[in-house]
């Protein structure tokens, strides 16, 4: 039977890969994954966000090998995803031209937080072992 630890490992790899794929997601569905008009590479700000999320994605993939040793990174991912989603939701509601984010990255970030938070909830370092 697969336990919480294994599900957490799978989730870390899956979300890590998705974070690494934000750039191609923006090419396919710009209104759901990008704030600026035009190609993603035309915005310096957006390319910085791509860099931050790609780095986070790689670190989440690496954390999957030993989640107990990377609890702070996982909790950072959870809480920063909630904060990012809430700010983006408010900004989307204030700027109707960005409502695509309410169907794109806002629910995606909340899903990341929900899944990782559920898998981490109630765990201590000594109980987060295979």
């Amino acid at each position: 039977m697969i336990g919480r630890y294994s599900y957490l490992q799978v989730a870390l790899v899956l979300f890590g890969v998705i974070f690494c794929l934000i750039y191609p997601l923006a090419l396919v569905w710009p209104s759901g994954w990008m704030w600026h008009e035009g190609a993603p590479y035309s915005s310096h700000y957006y390319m910085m966000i791509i860099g931050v999320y790609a780095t986070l994605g790689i670190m989440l993939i690496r954390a999957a090998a030993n989640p107990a040793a990377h609890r702070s990174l996982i909790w950072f991912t959870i809480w920063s995803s909630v904060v990012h989603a809430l700010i983006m939701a408010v900004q989307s509601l204030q700027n109707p031209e960005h409502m695509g984010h309410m169907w794109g990255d806002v629910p995606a970030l909340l899903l990341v937080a929900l899944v990782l938070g559920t898998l981490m909830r109630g765990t201590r370092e000594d109980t987060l072992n295979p």
Side-chain angles (χ1 to χ4, degrees), residues 11 29 31 67 69 78 98 102 110 118 122:
W29 184 17
S31 67
I78 293 165
H98 293 298
M102 295 298 282
L110 292 174
T118 299

Side-chain angles (χ1 to χ4, degrees), residues 73-108:
L73 173 69
I74 297 167
W75 281 111
F76 169 81
T77 303
I78 293 165
W79 287 109
S80 66
S81 294
V82 169
V83 170
H84 189 161
L86 291 176
I87 291 169
M88 192 172 296
V90 169
Q91 291 176 342
S92 294
L93 292 171
Q94 292 173 342
N95 300 287
E97 68 272 16
H98 293 298
M99 283 304 288
H101 295 283
M102 295 298 282
W103 305 108
D105 36 14
V106 170

Side-chain angles (χ1 to χ4, degrees), residues 7-21:
Y7 285 126
L8 179 58
Q9 289 179 301
V10 169
L12 290 169
V13 170
L14 178 66
F15 292 138
V17 168
I18 291 169
F19 282 171
C20 289
L21 295 176

Side-chain angles (χ1 to χ4, degrees), residues 5 19 22 25 28 30 42 44-45 52 64 68 80 93 99 107 110 112 119 121 127:
Y5 184 83
F19 282 171
I22 291 187
L25 284 170
V28 174
S42 66
H44 297 303
Y45 167 77
V52 168
S80 66
L93 292 171
M99 283 304 288
L110 292 174
V112 168
L119 294 172
R121 189 178 169 122
T127 62

